[in-house]
Amino acid sequence: MNFGGNAQSKLLGVALKSGLANGAADSSNTFLFCIPIQVGPASPYARNVRHWFHAILIMQAVVCAARLLILGDFLGGLWMALLCALGWYAWNQDMNITYICLWGLGCLVNGIFDMLSIIIPIVFNILTLAVIDIFLRALVPASELLGAAFSWHLYLDYFNSGGGSKDNSFMNSLAGSMPDPMGKLVDEVDPEEYRSLVAGVSKQGEQFQKSLESGHVTKQVRKGAAAMQQGAEQLAEQLQQQQHHQQQHLQQQQQQQN
């Protein structure tokens, strides 16, 4: 069962069209409000974690093949294949942060819809799945959300120490206070070494359990929510200023015509 395949393509299509329109109208170095347009080479840190990106893309490609050949989900598999192609292109373009962010946004949207496609049929008893089918279908959103988390990690790094560190946008001031779920895992674990990966995942699980017990996760969520609210207020203020300038410009034109 493919849930929301058309909705996924429509949602990302509208987002990309909106981003291109905003990018043409605004001469700043961002479009879609928060996605940076990279100028120049990638940051040294982004190049150092190319192997992580490579491992995630291989995982997504394998899951995509299983989705097509075993599950027979051709529409969802085709959409995921396009997503993998975008990721490979970003990897090939020297870890370009713009393409990585677009890939991460696609992973997030795809992951949410694919997760709903598993939960909703099971909850409402619409579809009965075998154990192997449930396992493979669970791997689909897991690989996509892993890609979204990795993209978010590089996004924060771009504004903390990369090209965006000199940017005056509101994301530059918020990046340091936003949570980074994959930060320690990427820095401490090599995905190409089995023992290192298992030890890192185990350590991450223990730290997450301790964070739950100490209430640290709740504090991080509240801190992130406050940062997002602050960013939304700053964005609304910027939009109001732009509208005010446009109204003044229109009034000046009307006065000149009169």
Side-chain angles (χ1 to χ4, degrees), residues 135-147:
F135 176 73
L136 291 176
R137 290 182 182 275
L139 285 179
V140 173
S143 65
E144 292 166 341
L145 294 178
L146 180 64

Side-chain angles (χ1 to χ4, degrees), residues 170 173-174 177 224-237:
F170 69 90
S173 60
L174 295 179
S177 60
M228 292 180 65
Q229 183 179 1
Q230 182 182 357
E233 292 175 354
Q234 292 181 0
L235 179 61
E237 184 178 353

Side-chain angles (χ1 to χ4, degrees), residues 13 18 20 143 158 197 238:
S18 174
L20 292 175
S143 65
Y158 176 82
L197 183 61
Q238 291 178 0

Side-chain angles (χ1 to χ4, degrees), residues 86-105:
L86 178 59
W88 283 106
Y89 184 75
W91 180 82
N92 188 53
Q93 293 297 312
D94 195 24
M95 302 294 287
N96 187 291
I97 189 63
T98 304
Y99 300 133
I100 289 176
C101 288
L102 291 175
W103 169 74
L105 179 62

